[in-house]
Amino acid sequence: MKKPHSSTLVLFITMLVFNFNALGQGDSPDPLPSWNSGRTKSAIIHYVSEVTNADSEYFIPIIDRVATFDNDGNLWSEKPAYFQLFFAIDRVKAMAHDHPEWKKEQPFKAVLEDDMEELIKQGEHGLLKLIMASHAGVTVEEFESIVKEWLATARHPRFNKPYNALVYQPMLELLNFLRDNDFKTYIVSGGGIEFMRPCVEGVYGIPRDQVVGSSGVMEFDYNNGKPVIRKLPEIDFINDKGGKPVGIYRFIGRKPVFASGNSDGDLQMMQYTASNKYKSFMLYVHHTDSEREWAYDRESHIGRLDKGLDEAQKHGWTVIDMKKDWKVIYPFELDK
Amino acid sequence: MKKPHSSTLVLFITMLVFNFNALGQGDSPDPLPSWNSGRTKSAIIHYVSEVTNADSEYFIPIIDRVATFDNDGNLWSEKPAYFQLFFAIDRVKAMAHDHPEWKKEQPFKAVLEDDMEELIKQGEHGLLKLIMASHAGVTVEEFESIVKEWLATARHPRFNKPYNALVYQPMLELLNFLRDNDFKTYIVSGGGIEFMRPCVEGVYGIPRDQVVGSSGVMEFDYNNGKPVIRKLPEIDFINDKGGKPVGIYRFIGRKPVFASGNSDGDLQMMQYTASNKYKSFMLYVHHTDSEREWAYDRESHIGRLDKGLDEAQKHGWTVIDMKKDWKVIYPFELDK
């Protein structure tokens, strides 16, 4: 029984080093300053130190250090509704004067009447119709300008901040910590690729070509010497549930060793990552903080974490208890 | 008229520097040693030196230095037929004993009877059927093993070398030269992503997540705790012609400043690149060397370059004359 012994030893050494640094006497500062000490933080630091140690049996070559992160509810908030839905709603309102028929047609009627209850009743089909109408009919450049303009002006209803101010400070630190250890970090989200890119650029340190997401059909038009790519009102690929491993394989071409998500939509990504031949790390964010953020799991319409929570417990995956594990939630709390 | 003047001056200085280096007195060696001196080589070096010079009006920030390369006929040969077609043929032969019906069914009958003429008569529909049958029904890991095994054993009919030995030495140098100047290099090919990745890995210096190509539909299967991604016999996306700019936008998210191709299938990528707000470089490989490689253009079934050649002339894009511009074609010629 050499394995448990040696990994216990490494954990012990890691904790020693960690305490040493905490005393301010080490030369490397705490890589995760917004995380409270405890099992979650130790497990992350232990894993990273183990798989990046060339002498460890769990060493992972740099090329295989692929880390995938869900976005909504995992890197930024997703309440009271997905931020992309707020964008779609604002966009429908802005487009409404060209569409008088929307006053009588659902789900647009609900949007124009600010009737969120009715909008939710329209279900998945209604939301899809909303996304189509609000995300298509423009070139990709026009769409990007629209998203940027929205980001610059729209404010989150609870915090009255730009939506991309509501990213999780501890996760920003985790992304940096992984990159400092030669992991390549990707977003793998059910959100739309073209919506996410302008939102996250300059926030997460993840370049555009490392954003995997859902996408609509696009067409190229030479347009008499002014080539454009136009977004069409048709879904091409939904990067959620079983779509996540497929999206990962298509865009990245490697199985992740580190996966982080917060809902049942991430479960297949977790299972796929858990099947890696290398030692892998599965990390669920559990929303337990109704004061600083939100508390929800098994019963939530958005970001439901039910089966995933059972599987995490069953397989010993790491679950972040937001309330206990995170000193701060958002970067703006650090300014206080 | 300041522009032509200043760019002529830069060209002059570039050529001076180049000659200086050629005399062996500079400290940087010729970045493109397999390219003969002349207009093509000078144009490439001039462009790169101009757009990477922070004092130039044509300076391009590193983040926007995206260079996209077609694969077949551009980075490696594509004659007497696309290498992926040879793979499909070999695979169909290997699978034939499980498919007795193929003896009577086209295009399989033609493959099993080595009747290339009949196979070509089966047209695009026949080829698609062949690709489907030979590329699906397995997991992505199984498929990758099959491709690697094929690469290790199959030999090109004319050169009797592994197919990925038939890459173009001058293009390898160009890829390195661009990367040395902080361009990010991508493959953007009509070939299948999953076929290309194992073929090009370790050859071009282009990582897996920078390979954009055609793809089939895939499905995730949890498979009782052994998760797999299975390739289904259905085309998802054809990354050719107008598909190339769309694939570029979806995977990369930026318009290239440098595009290199060799056929009319690359024309839309060229047009898209030419519309960049930054100074861009469009490079066509013209197959003019019937002795060392092949000579073909307007009339070729594979890699036809007809409209693209006209457009290149019309817009002043750079066209490589393979016979004149390249000292060697393949890396193995250097060993002689």
Side-chain angles (χ1 to χ4, degrees), chain B residues 294-335:
Chain B
W294 283 269
Y296 57 96
D297 46 35
R298 297 184 192 272
E299 303 297 327
S300 180
H301 279 293
I302 282 175
R304 175 176 311 199
L305 178 62
D306 181 29
K307 202 168 171 218
L309 208 50
D310 295 337
E311 291 287 303
Q313 278 154 5
K314 186 172 152 194
H315 299 292
W317 300 342
T318 300
V319 178
I320 295 168
D321 181 333
M322 195 181 250
K323 190 173 177 176
K324 262 180 54 190
D325 287 328
W326 288 358
K327 283 185 198 164
V328 297
I329 308 288
Y330 303 121
F332 57 77
E333 296 170 32
L334 295 173
D335 302 334

Side-chain angles (χ1 to χ4, degrees), chain B residues 46-291:
Chain B
H46 171 59
Y47 173 76
V48 171
S49 83
E50 203 175 22
V51 301
T52 57
N53 173 3
D55 296 328
S56 163
E57 62 181 313
Y58 298 117
F59 178 74
I60 301 175
I62 288 177
I63 192 88
D64 286 306
R65 292 184 201 162
V66 169
T68 55
F69 286 79
D70 175 48
N71 189 34
D72 297 307
N74 193 56
L75 293 179
W76 71 1
S77 291
E78 60 184 351
K79 291 279 177 176
Y82 295 128
F83 296 176
Q84 193 172 355
L85 183 58
F86 283 110
F87 167 75
I89 288 171
D90 289 346
R91 179 101 188 100
V92 160
K93 287 179 178 174
M95 293 165 81
H97 73 280
D98 291 333
H99 295 273
E101 75 280 9
W102 284 354
K103 280 185 188 151
K104 292 179 184 173
E105 189 189 339
Q106 292 296 12
F108 308 106
K109 187 169 179 286
V111 168
L112 298 177
E113 293 171 356
D114 283 318
D115 188 347
M116 273 303 249
E117 208 174 312
E118 180 59 42
L119 182 58
I120 285 162
K121 271 192 203 155
Q122 296 293 316
E124 208 170 295
H125 180 73
L127 292 182
L128 219 55
K129 218 170 147 183
L130 204 65
I131 296 284
M132 299 291 196
S134 56
H135 285 60
V138 288
T139 69
V140 293
E141 282 87 0
E142 287 163 354
F143 185 73
E144 177 154 345
S145 299
I146 292 166
V147 174
K148 281 181 175 164
E149 167 74 15
W150 176 80
L151 265 183
T153 54
R155 292 293 175 269
H156 186 277
R158 174 172 164 192
F159 291 99
N160 195 32
K161 300 262 181 199
Y163 284 91
N164 62 358
L166 299 184
V167 297
Y168 303 135
Q169 174 64 26
M171 295 304 263
L172 298 181
E173 293 167 7
L174 175 56
L175 287 168
N176 276 326
F177 178 49
L178 289 171
R179 285 191 293 258
D180 286 347
N181 283 281
D182 296 317
F183 285 77
K184 198 162 178 181
T185 54
Y186 296 83
I187 291 175
V188 176
S189 168
I193 298 179
E194 287 93 34
F195 172 76
M196 284 190 286
R197 280 179 178 151
C199 291
V200 307
E201 205 166 35
V203 176
Y204 299 145
I206 294 179
R208 297 185 151 225
D209 58 353
Q210 286 164 228
V211 176
V212 182
S214 298
S215 51
V217 175
M218 299 187 275
E219 76 173 356
F220 176 76
D221 183 357
Y222 184 56
N223 200 14
N224 286 322
K226 297 207 179 301
V228 292
I229 297 172
R230 238 178 239 113
K231 287 174 69 67
L232 304 185
E234 196 183 327
I235 293 285
D236 185 66
F237 181 70
I238 302 276
N239 192 59
D240 197 32
K241 300 195 168 74
K244 288 205 174 190
V246 170
I248 288 169
Y249 197 78
R250 180 161 301 147
F251 279 75
I252 306 174
R254 280 177 211 284
K255 198 178 277 191
V257 292
F258 190 106
S260 168
N262 73 299
S263 79
D264 285 356
D266 301 309
L267 180 56
Q268 288 79 358
M269 174 168 78
M270 299 291 186
Q271 293 168 334
Y272 185 56
T273 304
S275 74
N276 202 309
K277 65 176 175 175
Y278 295 111
K279 184 170 181 175
S280 54
F281 197 90
M282 282 59 65
L283 181 65
Y284 257 124
V285 174
H286 190 192
H287 292 262
T288 53
D289 195 326
S290 59
E291 283 182 30

